[in-house]
Amino acid sequence: MIRNYLTIALRNFKRQKLFALLNMFGLALGLASAILIFLYVNDELQYDTMHPYYGTTYRIGCTFINAEGQEFDNTVAPGYWIKQLKDTRSEIEQAIRIDNIGYPTSFHHKATDKIILTEEVRWAEPGFDKVLQFELIKGNRDKMFQDYNSMVVSETGAHKLFGDADPIGQTVTIKHTWATDGKEIDVMVTGVYKDYPSNSHFKPRYILNINALRSVRKNFEVYMEGTTFRDSEFFESYIVVKPSTTDVKPMEAALQGWSNQMAQNDSSFVAGGWKLRPFLTRMSAIHFDQKNLWENGIRGDKKYLAIFSSVAVLILLIACINYMNLATARSARRAKEVGLRKSLGSKRREIAWQFFSESILMTLGSLVIAVLLVIIFLQPFNQLAHKSFTLVSLLDPYMLLIVLGIVLFMSIVSGSYPALYLSAFKPVEVLKGKVVKGIGAELFRKGLVTLQYAVSLVLIISTFVVVRQMEHMQNTKLNEQGSQLLSIRYGGTAPQNKFAAFKQAVLQDKDIEHVTMANHLPRLNYFGWIGTTLKFPELHDKDLQWNQLNVEFDFAKTYQLEFIAGRDFDENNVADSSAMILNEAAVKALNQPIEKVIGAIVTESGDNNPDGIVRSYKVIGVVKDFPFRSMHQAIEPLVLNPHVHFIDRIAYIKLPVGHFQEKIKSIEKTWREIFPGVGFDYWFVSDEFNRMYLAESRVSSLAKAFAILAILITALGVFGLASYTAEQKTKEVGIRKVLGAAVRQVVAMFVWGFLKILLIAAVIAIPLAYLLADRWLADFAYRSTISPMIFIVSLFGLILITLLTVSYETWKAARANPVHSLRSE
């Protein structure tokens, strides 16, 4: 029986090659899309599961609360807490501290004079590999941290630092502004470990033995376990609890007690009105935790996972609808087969199983094509989703189960309607050439295509909205020339007293007009606050905590900031070293006329200056508001201070278009001449904006891909319905032509039928798309408008695609000779 079903199915495929290919390709597109989407979703949901005690590991964090009640979350904790937990809590099985100090570390391989600056560094306690996943591929795991001055490197890190040379036994000179107090430490590479997978929150390229800091820190024990917040270092702190531990609140209560003790020992902390609240985060929740600032941009969001999963199901659904429409479009050709089978004794369930078999066979064939499509598009998908999937990822047990589920889903859904519809034909009617079309069946098919149109229209409109918002975020004043503005790491790496010489040397190039210095821009969420405490004695009686950018005099010119009052800094005016520029938000906060603000005196608290001196400034200008942080946040009052920050310093050079590589090489040569032995680390301002909006960029890229796929699959569905309609109306078209109807009138009749379906879909899709877009944009403090043109362009674009899709079948039906269609009447 099964062999008979397969034989007939293959014969039908061979007889109707075009429709078999359309069916198979449509299903393959849906399958491939779903596999890629669920590959991404599965990877996100499997975050950190590779760590050995994934289910019982917690990270300790703490929330700082200031006197005004504002809360600042952090994912690190004082080292003293780990000591106390190990000494007093029986629930603890393992506990480790890892220092993620931030700011680039200089690695100098003096044997080759290779210098790199990188933030992908951790200073770890021996034994970290018992808590966190770690696969050493070179070296002795038991002895890798036996010596204090030792480090292990990842495969990628080893290649970046040593090229193809063997890293084991190599000596590297380490230098960091804070970690090593600006001093050099020589460490030896004792091991090479396998790169961490992309779905691990812990994935440094270099891990150093924290004991190496003993040589540069006099009070190393205080650094590790100090009993005041001022003295103790804050570490990434992990604890592994016993499997029987179900409630961690007692441990949080104990941490709060130790926190209170440390606060009492720290007079400045108490005097400032600060409080600290500890919290524990289970490893399974770290990736999706909104307090996880260090994973900014790649932090997970279950909302987007739900959206992507829904889109995958919708794409699968419209692919299945294609199969249904294309299968029933050829119902007349299968009707006599059904009639003969029934007249020879076949039961309805046997005939239904025949069509289910064809559906399963078609889906399996589509699966082969889908896997090929996945292999072809895996790397482009990695770039869109910021992942590192390989073919091995498809063999993950969860993915195999997901693929099996998708195949079963598509086989059942796509085969159900043709099986039930075709198996219901009555042999007496079909053998006489009468196929009962039925109003219900007709409405059902049109309803399916309406659903396809609605889904496609929602995806197209949503894609336009997302792309417009991305453009709105990227086209800010800071990023107008972001792709031309080269950022060079300066603070903590190069001496400030040589910057003037470097600047003049670079400006010798006639193609370079602007070289300036300021804080790291834009301000990513985890950079921390860069504010200051100000007072306007003539205008305001309270201390104001405002954001501040420490800049050189030519900062506003380099970034082409727009002045709405007053003037810019003048490097020839000595008095301007005691001047300030405000933004519009600052003027609004003062609630004073702008004329009164210009010329006002400002005093800056000494607490914000390294030397502790109170300084006075004069307001000389006001610039138009510009986003210096994420556009998820409102623009707050900001001052431009013409004194560069003591450590947060980036040099900015505006490069001429079309000569980037040539100019960068020249600048690097100048850098090495003026700063021998100092690493040259650079990027473009636009790169930082891309980092800031990584999640939105991913959504935008995937939305474009989903929209194109939905349009393509819907076009196949429309073709199927056009084919079905043309076949069912063959005699009607013949009669109309005999009665004098022109070809264009017949074509118009077909087209109007599809336009009615599309307009009904638009009535459903447009309000839904508006609601979804409005809800998504609500997360942004500054959002693009939802223009009516988005809906008009989307609708007319889909109309054009429909006309192009149905033109072949409708024109062929309209041009057919009526003699052939009416011969049997």
Side-chain angles (χ1 to χ4, degrees):
M1 182 68 73
I2 294 174
R3 182 180 177 183
N4 177 256
Y5 289 161
L6 290 173
T7 302
I8 293 172
L10 291 171
R11 284 176 182 170
N12 279 311
F13 295 162
K14 188 176 181 180
R15 191 178 301 120
Q16 301 178 32
K17 294 184 182 71
L18 175 62
F19 282 87
L21 287 172
L22 284 174
N23 263 330
M24 202 171 285
F25 187 64
L27 289 174
L29 280 178
L31 266 168
S33 305
I35 289 170
L36 288 172
I37 293 170
F38 285 121
L39 189 65
Y40 173 83
V41 172
N42 179 58
D43 188 73
E44 287 286 291
L45 293 176
Q46 299 262 344
Y47 233 86
D48 289 320
T49 55
M50 73 290 299
H51 296 295
Y53 302 102
Y54 163 78
T56 56
T57 300
Y58 291 81
R59 186 172 65 185
I60 309 173
C62 54
T63 300
F64 288 87
I65 308 164
N66 66 14
E68 286 75 37
Q70 291 177 295
E71 297 188 355
F72 305 91
D73 297 316
N74 214 324
T75 56
V76 292
Y80 175 69
W81 290 358
I82 286 291
K83 177 183 182 300
Q84 291 295 96
L85 283 170
K86 286 196 288 189
D87 290 347
T88 64
R89 304 299 302 189
S90 60
E91 307 102 308
I92 305 295
E93 288 193 336
Q94 302 275 358
I96 56 161
R97 291 165 292 196
I98 297 173
D99 207 350
N100 179 11
I101 300 175
Y103 218 75
T105 301
S106 172
F107 286 74
H108 189 180
H109 185 225
K110 292 184 176 179
T112 57
D113 198 28
K114 178 75 173 288
I115 304 172
I116 64 168
L117 294 172
T118 178
E119 295 180 59
E120 296 174 293
V121 181
R122 297 292 187 275
W123 299 79
E125 284 188 292
F128 78 92
D129 55 315
K130 295 177 182 176
V131 175
L132 299 171
Q133 190 264 348
F134 183 78
E135 187 178 341
L136 197 70
I137 55 179
K138 274 188 179 181
N140 186 325
R141 185 164 180 160
D142 295 329
K143 296 181 178 180
M144 63 183 187
F145 276 180
Q146 190 172 31
D147 295 325
Y148 284 169
N149 287 37
S150 53
M151 67 179 288
V152 288
V153 298
S154 68
E155 293 172 284
T156 301
H159 187 266
K160 186 174 182 181
L161 191 54
F162 304 108
D164 296 328
D166 185 3
I168 302 297
Q170 300 278 6
T171 298
V172 180
T173 302
I174 309 294
K175 184 181 178 182
H176 189 278
T177 303
W178 297 306
T180 70
D181 198 23
K183 300 170 185 174
E184 293 185 343
I185 302 175
D186 287 337
V187 299
M188 182 179 287
V189 177
T190 56
V192 178
Y193 59 91
K194 187 175 181 180
D195 286 345
Y196 280 92
S198 61
N199 61 345
S200 169
H201 80 278
F202 180 81
K203 40 180 177 278
R205 289 187 176 177
Y206 308 93
I207 303 175
L208 293 105
N209 186 342
I210 201 166
N211 288 297
L213 297 178
R214 289 178 181 272
S215 62
V216 291
R217 290 186 176 269
K218 294 179 181 178
N219 297 316
F220 183 73
E221 283 70 25
V222 174
Y223 162 77
M224 293 294 291
E225 297 170 358
T227 55
T228 67
F229 294 129
R230 182 181 62 254
D231 296 331
S232 178
E233 178 69 358
F234 280 66
F235 297 89
E236 289 182 336
S237 303
Y238 298 89
I239 58 171
V240 179
V241 301
K242 291 178 179 177
S244 58
T245 305
T246 56
D247 185 8
V248 297
K249 288 183 179 178
M251 280 187 288
E252 288 184 333
L255 290 169
Q256 186 65 65
W258 298 322
S259 173
N260 296 339
Q261 289 175 18
M262 293 180 75
Q264 290 171 5
N265 296 336
D266 197 332
S267 56
S268 61
F269 192 80
V270 176
W274 287 93
K275 296 178 182 177
L276 191 145
R277 184 176 64 241
F279 60 85
L280 292 173
T281 305
R282 197 176 188 137
M283 186 171 277
S284 57
I286 285 176
H287 181 56
F288 298 101
D289 183 14
Q290 294 305 302
K291 296 177 181 179
N292 187 13
L293 298 179
W294 293 101
E295 267 203 304
N296 182 61
I298 57 172
R299 182 176 57 225
D301 191 331
K302 290 186 177 179
K303 173 183 68 179
Y304 285 134
L305 296 189
I307 291 171
F308 293 154
S309 299
S310 300
V311 169
V313 172
L314 289 173
I315 288 176
L316 284 174
L317 193 58
I318 59 177
C320 293
I321 290 170
N322 279 0
Y323 182 88
M324 296 181 198
N325 280 335
L326 288 168
T328 53
R330 289 299 179 234
S331 59
R333 298 189 181 185
R334 303 295 298 274
K336 289 185 179 179
E337 176 193 333
V338 173
L340 282 170
R341 281 179 170 276
K342 282 194 170 184
S343 63
L344 293 174
S346 291
K347 296 177 181 178
R348 183 178 178 181
R349 67 172 180 272
E350 293 172 339
I351 296 171
W353 178 241
Q354 165 67 42
F355 291 109
F356 267 122
S357 300
E358 290 182 14
S359 171
I360 293 168
L361 191 63
M362 185 71 73
T363 307
L364 290 174
S366 301
L367 178 61
V368 175
I369 300 174
V371 170
L372 291 175
L373 290 173
V374 168
I375 292 170
I376 292 169
F377 292 106
L378 193 58
Q379 288 312 310
F381 182 77
N382 279 337
Q383 293 174 1
L384 291 178
H386 303 283
K387 293 289 186 181
S388 54
F389 298 125
T390 63
L391 294 181
V392 177
S393 305
L394 297 172
L395 301 178
D396 178 87
Y398 288 102
M399 273 310 300
L400 292 175
L401 285 173
I402 288 170
V403 172
L404 179 62
I406 292 171
V407 169
L408 289 173
F409 172 82
M410 294 193 78
S411 298
I412 294 168
V413 173
S414 61
S416 58
Y417 182 64
L420 297 173
Y421 173 67
L422 295 173
S423 66
F425 289 166
K426 296 177 181 179
V428 174
E429 293 175 345
V430 296
L431 291 175
K432 287 181 179 180
K434 299 177 182 178
V435 178
V436 180
K437 287 172 272 190
I439 296 174
E442 189 74 15
L443 287 175
F444 183 69
R445 272 188 297 276
K446 289 181 178 179
L448 292 177
V449 177
T450 304
L451 178 61
Q452 282 185 312
Y453 271 134
V455 171
S456 297
L457 201 50
V458 167
L459 283 173
I460 294 167
I461 293 169
S462 300
T463 300
F464 273 121
V465 170
V466 171
V467 170
R468 274 174 61 92
Q469 179 62 19
M470 282 299 298
E471 289 175 353
H472 185 61
M473 292 188 296
Q474 297 283 6
N475 295 334
T476 61
K477 180 55 69 175
L478 280 188
N479 200 32
E480 271 185 0
Q481 296 94 26
S483 59
Q484 289 179 253
L485 281 167
L486 186 74
S487 308
I488 302 175
R489 182 83 63 188
Y490 199 96
T493 60
Q496 186 63 29
N497 58 9
K498 290 188 177 182
F499 178 69
F502 173 70
K503 181 175 181 176
Q504 289 305 313
V506 172
L507 287 173
Q508 293 298 313
D509 187 329
K510 58 181 177 57
D511 294 328
I512 295 177
E513 298 178 11
H514 296 290
V515 178
T516 191
M517 180 174 281
N519 304 81
H520 194 145
L521 293 169
R523 306 300 299 176
L524 274 67
N525 289 342
Y526 61 87
F527 280 2
W529 191 54
I530 54 164
T532 186
T533 303
L534 304 171
K535 197 165 188 174
F536 291 76
E538 305 164 356
L539 307 176
H540 210 278
D541 60 352
K542 291 183 179 179
D543 287 340
L544 302 169
Q545 290 191 329
W546 282 358
N547 296 283
Q548 176 174 264
L549 289 180
N550 297 89
V551 302
E552 268 212 320
F553 277 15
D554 52 1
F555 173 80
K557 293 185 184 71
T558 303
Y559 277 93
Q560 297 182 358
L561 300 185
E562 185 179 339
F563 279 81
I564 59 173
R567 63 177 178 83
D568 194 1
F569 297 118
D570 183 354
E571 61 183 8
N572 297 316
N573 187 343
V574 178
D576 277 5
S577 61
S578 296
M580 267 190 178
I581 294 172
L582 310 184
N583 70 347
E584 288 177 286
V587 176
K588 290 175 185 174
L590 289 171
N591 198 26
Q592 297 286 344
I594 199 165
E595 298 80 11
K596 201 171 181 180
V597 174
I598 298 292
I601 300 300
V602 188
T603 59
E604 182 184 27
S605 168
D607 294 339
N608 301 105
N609 299 314
D611 54 15
I613 299 174
V614 176
R615 290 192 172 93
S616 293
Y617 297 85
K618 182 179 178 181
V619 178
I620 62 168
V622 177
V623 295
K624 190 173 182 179
D625 282 343
F626 61 93
F628 53 92
R629 296 185 302 176
S630 167
M631 291 185 76
H632 287 284
Q633 300 162 303
I635 297 176
E636 297 175 342
L638 173 74
V639 298
L640 302 183
N641 185 326
H643 296 275
V644 294
H645 196 271
F646 74 100
I647 188 66
D648 184 10
R649 299 191 301 265
I650 303 294
Y652 297 98
I653 303 174
K654 190 172 181 181
L655 302 180
V657 176
H659 301 279
F660 289 174
Q661 294 307 314
E662 170 194 335
K663 298 302 179 187
I664 291 171
K665 286 180 181 177
S666 174
I667 292 166
E668 183 175 5
K669 182 181 177 183
T670 303
W671 177 276
R672 296 193 184 284
E673 289 171 356
I674 297 175
F675 307 112
V678 178
F680 181 71
D681 184 26
Y682 70 89
W683 61 91
F684 285 92
V685 167
S686 55
D687 295 336
E688 289 297 81
F689 275 90
N690 291 337
R691 284 179 65 194
M692 179 182 287
Y693 301 123
L694 199 59
E696 290 79 11
S697 175
R698 184 189 300 128
V699 171
S700 175
S701 300
L702 292 175
K704 290 176 193 174
F706 295 156
I708 292 168
L709 282 168
I711 291 168
L712 185 56
I713 297 172
T714 299
L716 290 173
V718 171
F719 182 84
L721 186 61
S723 173
Y724 173 83
T725 305
E727 187 160 320
Q728 294 299 319
K729 293 182 179 288
T730 302
K731 290 186 173 64
E732 179 186 337
V733 170
I735 292 169
R736 285 177 178 273
K737 291 192 72 176
V738 167
L739 295 176
V743 170
R744 59 182 175 78
Q745 291 174 312
V746 175
V747 171
M749 176 191 72
F750 279 111
V751 169
W752 175 237
F754 285 99
L755 291 181
K756 282 193 291 185
I757 294 172
L758 179 52
L759 291 174
I760 293 169
V763 171
I764 300 167
I766 289 174
L768 179 61
Y770 179 86
L771 289 172
L772 292 173
D774 187 64
R775 188 171 178 180
W776 183 72
L777 288 171
D779 288 339
F780 299 90
Y782 298 93
R783 48 183 278 180
S784 62
T785 57
I786 306 178
S787 168
M789 283 303 296
I790 292 175
F791 301 98
I792 294 169
V793 170
S794 300
L795 184 57
F796 275 93
L798 208 50
I799 288 172
L800 180 61
I801 291 167
T802 298
L803 293 176
L804 292 173
T805 303
V806 303
S807 60
Y808 172 73
E809 284 292 326
T810 55
W811 184 259
K812 188 174 72 173
R815 297 272 296 177
N817 190 335
V819 173
H820 299 301
S821 58
L822 298 175
R823 183 178 294 161
S824 60
E825 294 299 316

